[in-house]
């Protein structure tokens, strides 16, 4: 079975969508991050825009860690397949594209000189990253201009300083930085840490001024589920495609990239003109609120109840009549109306989310969603609940139930090593959260396990957990205690059935 090559792709040997000729283009995008998400999201977008004749952008992929896939990418001419499968407007869809925009790949720990050459090239214009949420962190480290810096922001500071030195700090030598890490104000935070390194390292004042004035650190919001290599289907897919691809990436069709930046930069990076869901805006916050409340909020509001009720995946939850009815009520009755966007836009987004939750090609484990659920509930669910209460005079029934389900999920047995284990009909499960959260909730269950009202009052009034006293929200404590009592009496599924009947 042959592997991918630019020669075979240019000759249309495999009957697959690709950029005509599969050219190896000059590098205009330096990408720090070699994982599934960037390859199935940013690089896929760049390749689509290249294929549409809107861009002629080559991407250099740099591993963020000493271990990565740079060697595999180079061995395969920088080529790989992106397979997108899911549900759109009620129909299953599938597309496949071989991405050819990756012109180079490297391990900067072993080839820092090559990294510097890329960073100081006059043709470079964009720097893209995804180094996980923990990647944009201010970690003090010495300046090592002859070797790769350790943290991601330190790498950026060193690369920008090399560019400043080599190109003279001219206005046109500045870069556009597009971090894709899932933290709020990711661009602004990266810029702040880069400048902190410059000050810590004693770099010349002109460098900091150039960074401030001529480099654009843009805040972004990204959304696409990219599970990665379809290992279980690899042999069947290779037989179907006519080639093997150990770097193939599977993902969902849905995608959105919101970039907070000026229109002039959008014209330099015109992905939105290629039919891609890329939004340039001067205010990212409404889009972040939409995602956090509708996508993340719906996950957090439903996952714990579904898991304790015996379901293991988001798809399983959508296939369950009782659970999907609960989610539908919460989504469209208690969350969507309070997202600060035009009604048609928020309704359409919510319907898309429900289709994504039902994607048969993605296995999203509910127990994974349960990690750190107390802080997630505070950020993702509580704002919608408070908005509903302000509009209606009391807390909504469905989101109050989600809080009762959270308390039941956290009903666990603590161990000497700090771990905590809960139980459901299907057996034990790990409860993973900060030690202080586990201690507070297990303590509340130990003290008030036989009295739902007292337990709810003790937990909801603990401002250290929620950032405020939740008993002050009209009706919330009463509704939550009532639901918890039914959960304890009838089980989670019985309580859900009573709620949606």
């Amino acid at each position: 079975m042959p592997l991918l090559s630019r020669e075979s792709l240019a000759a249309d040997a495999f009957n697959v969508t690709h950029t005509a000729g599969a050219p190896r283009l000059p590098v205009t995008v330096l990408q720090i991050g070699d994982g599934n998400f960037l390859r199935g999201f940013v690089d896929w977008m760049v390749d689509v825009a290249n294929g549409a004749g809107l861009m002629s952008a080559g991407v250099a992929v740099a591993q963020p860690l000493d271990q990565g896939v740079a060697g595999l990418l180079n061995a395969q001419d920088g080529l790989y397949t992106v397979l997108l499968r899911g549900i759109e407007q009620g129909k299953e869809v599938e597309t496949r594209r071989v991405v050819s925009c990756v012109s180079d790949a490297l391990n900067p720990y072993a080839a820092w000189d090559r990294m510097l050459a890329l960073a100081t090239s006059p043709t470079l214009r964009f720097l893209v990253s995804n180094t996980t949420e923990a990647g944009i962190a201010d970690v003090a480290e010495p300046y090592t201009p002859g070797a790769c810096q350790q943290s991601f922001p330190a790498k950026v500071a060193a690369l920008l300083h090399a560019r400043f030195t080599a190109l003279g700090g001219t206005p046109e030598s500045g870069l556009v930085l597009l971090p894709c890490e899932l933290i709020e104000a990711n661009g602004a935070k990266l810029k702040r840490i880069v400048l902190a390194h410059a000050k810590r390292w004693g770099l010349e004042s002109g460098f900091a001024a150039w960074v401030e004035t001529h480099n654009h650190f843009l805040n972004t919001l990204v959304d696409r589920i990219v599970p990665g290599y379809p290992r279980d289907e690899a042999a069947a897919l290779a037989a179907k495609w006519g080639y093997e691809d150990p770097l193939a990436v599977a993902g969902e069709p849905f995608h959105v990239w919101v970039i907070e930046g000026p229109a002039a930069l959008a014209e330099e990076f015109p992905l939105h003109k290629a039919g891609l869901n890329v939004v340039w805006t001067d205010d990212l916050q409404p889009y972040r609120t939409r995602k956090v409340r509708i996508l993340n909020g719906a996950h957090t509001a439903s996952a714990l109840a579904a898991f304790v009720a015996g379901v293991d995946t988001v798809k399983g939850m959508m296939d369950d009549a009782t659970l999907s009815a609960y989610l539908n009520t919460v989504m469209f009755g208690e969350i969507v109306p309070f997202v600060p966007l035009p009604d048609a836009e928020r309704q359409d987004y919510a319907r898309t989310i429900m289709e994504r939750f039902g994607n048969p090609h993605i296995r999203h484990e509910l127990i994974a969603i349960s990690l750190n659920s107390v802080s997630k509930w505070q950020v993702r669910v509580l704002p919608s609940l408070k908005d509903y209460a302000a509009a209606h005079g009391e807390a909504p029934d469905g989101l109050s139930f989600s809080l009762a389900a959270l308390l039941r999920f956290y009903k666990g047995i603590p161990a000497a090593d700090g771990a905590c284990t809960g139980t459901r009909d299907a057996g034990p499960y790990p409860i993973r959260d900060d030690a202080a959260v586990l201690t507070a909730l297990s303590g509340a269950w130990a003290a008030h396990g036989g009295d739902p009202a007292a337990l709810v009052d003790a937990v909801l009034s603990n401002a250290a957990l929620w950032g405020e006293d939740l008993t002050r929200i009209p009706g919330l404590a009463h509704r939550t205690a009532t639901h918890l009592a039914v959960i304890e009496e009838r089980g989670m599924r019985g309580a859900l059935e009573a709620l949606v009947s």
Side-chain angles (χ1 to χ4, degrees):
M1 184 77 65
L3 295 173
L4 285 170
S5 71
R6 290 184 184 268
E7 182 180 10
S8 59
L9 197 61
D12 291 326
F14 301 121
N15 190 30
V16 60
T17 302
H18 64 280
T19 295
R24 194 181 294 272
L25 298 167
V27 172
T28 60
V29 181
L30 175 58
Q31 176 175 300
I32 300 180
D34 61 350
N36 295 322
F37 179 78
L38 284 182
R39 292 192 293 117
F41 185 77
V42 172
D43 300 332
W44 171 81
M45 288 190 186
V46 170
D47 199 69
V48 169
N50 285 346
L54 293 166
M55 295 177 66
S56 184
V59 179
V61 174
Q63 299 174 188
L65 303 172
D66 195 19
Q67 300 295 319
V69 302
L72 292 173
L73 274 169
N74 286 326
Q76 197 161 281
D77 276 354
L79 304 174
Y80 60 90
T81 308
V82 174
L83 175 64
L84 304 176
R85 297 178 292 186
I87 308 295
E88 288 186 339
Q89 298 180 353
K91 298 179 181 179
E92 284 207 36
V93 296
E94 178 176 325
T95 64
R96 176 169 57 103
R97 183 183 188 92
V98 171
V99 170
S100 60
C101 66
V102 177
S103 298
D104 195 7
L106 71 154
N107 175 1
Y109 293 87
W112 185 242
D113 56 340
R114 282 178 58 203
M115 189 77 159
L116 290 176
L118 288 165
T120 57
S121 169
T123 63
L124 186 69
R125 179 56 171 158
F126 302 96
L127 192 154
V128 178
S129 68
N130 188 15
T131 56
T132 78
E133 292 89 315
I136 302 182
D138 191 357
V139 180
E141 61 181 89
Y143 183 35
T144 58
C148 184
Q149 301 289 154
Q150 295 302 307
S151 71
F152 164 58
K155 289 183 180 72
V156 175
L159 294 172
L160 287 177
H161 187 249
R163 186 173 181 84
F164 171 81
T165 302
L167 302 180
T170 60
E172 59 271 16
S173 63
L175 297 181
V176 179
L177 295 95
L178 297 158
C180 296
E181 289 80 0
L182 288 173
I183 61 171
E184 191 166 1
N186 45 19
K189 185 174 182 181
L190 177 60
K191 179 179 180 179
R192 177 179 60 77
I193 300 173
V194 165
L195 291 171
H197 281 303
K199 183 177 181 180
R200 193 178 292 132
W201 295 342
L203 303 180
E204 59 269 45
S205 60
F207 170 64
W210 176 75
V211 169
E212 283 272 16
T213 306
H214 300 303
N215 289 267
H216 306 272
F217 291 76
L218 305 184
N219 297 323
T220 75
L221 176 69
V222 298
D223 190 4
R224 167 174 267 175
I225 298 172
V226 185
Y229 183 64
R231 188 173 308 279
D232 294 343
E233 304 173 82
L237 290 174
K240 178 180 178 181
W241 298 345
Y243 61 88
E244 291 185 11
D245 186 359
L247 290 172
V249 174
E252 64 172 345
F254 178 88
H255 64 282
V256 62
W257 193 1
V258 184
I259 304 172
E260 193 175 73
L265 294 181
E267 292 304 307
E268 291 190 54
F269 203 56
L271 303 179
H272 59 294
K273 294 184 176 180
L276 299 167
N277 192 13
V278 178
V279 179
W280 287 79
T281 179
D282 58 4
D283 185 7
L284 188 71
Q285 195 55 48
Y287 297 93
R288 178 171 294 280
T289 299
R290 180 183 74 170
K291 178 177 183 289
V292 169
R293 291 203 186 188
I294 296 179
L295 171 60
N296 304 123
H299 266 158
T300 299
S302 58
L304 304 185
F307 182 79
V308 175
V311 176
D312 291 327
T313 66
V314 173
K315 176 64 166 62
M317 179 174 69
M318 297 304 294
D319 290 341
D320 186 291
T322 299
L323 291 166
S324 61
Y326 166 69
L327 177 57
N328 194 73
T329 297
V330 166
M331 174 76 92
F332 292 99
E334 300 177 3
I335 295 176
V336 170
F338 303 100
V339 174
L341 285 170
D343 186 59
E345 183 175 344
R346 63 195 182 195
Q347 292 282 346
D348 287 347
Y349 183 74
R351 284 190 286 269
T352 299
I353 294 303
M354 297 294 271
E355 287 189 330
R356 294 172 70 191
F357 284 0
N359 189 338
H361 302 288
I362 293 176
R363 181 177 178 85
H364 201 168
E365 299 282 348
L366 296 175
I367 194 65
I369 295 173
S370 76
L371 176 66
N372 297 333
S373 280
V374 169
S375 61
K376 286 178 178 176
W377 195 91
Q378 178 192 351
V379 171
R380 301 173 174 185
V381 181
L382 181 58
S384 296
L385 185 148
K386 291 170 68 175
D387 284 351
Y388 185 104
H392 295 277
E394 62 179 349
D397 205 31
L399 294 181
S400 298
F401 185 93
S402 79
L403 183 53
L406 181 150
L407 297 180
R408 169 58 184 83
F409 177 88
Y410 276 79
K411 181 182 181 181
I413 301 172
D417 62 359
C420 194
T421 302
T423 58
R424 60 175 184 160
D425 289 346
Y429 58 87
I431 305 172
R432 297 171 295 172
D433 212 315
D434 292 339
V437 171
L438 296 177
T439 298
L441 289 173
S442 61
W445 274 105
H448 308 292
D451 186 346
L455 187 149
V456 167
D457 187 71
V459 175
L460 270 60
S461 63
N462 187 343
L465 290 175
W466 314 106
E468 60 184 285
D469 181 352
L470 297 188
T471 63
R472 296 178 180 176
I473 299 175
L476 179 59
H478 173 72
R479 286 185 180 277
T480 304
T482 299
H483 287 312
L484 185 59
V486 177
I487 291 170
E488 288 291 275
E489 177 185 352
R490 303 187 189 180
M492 186 65 74
R493 181 164 292 278
L496 282 162
E497 290 171 349
L499 180 67
V500 302
S501 62

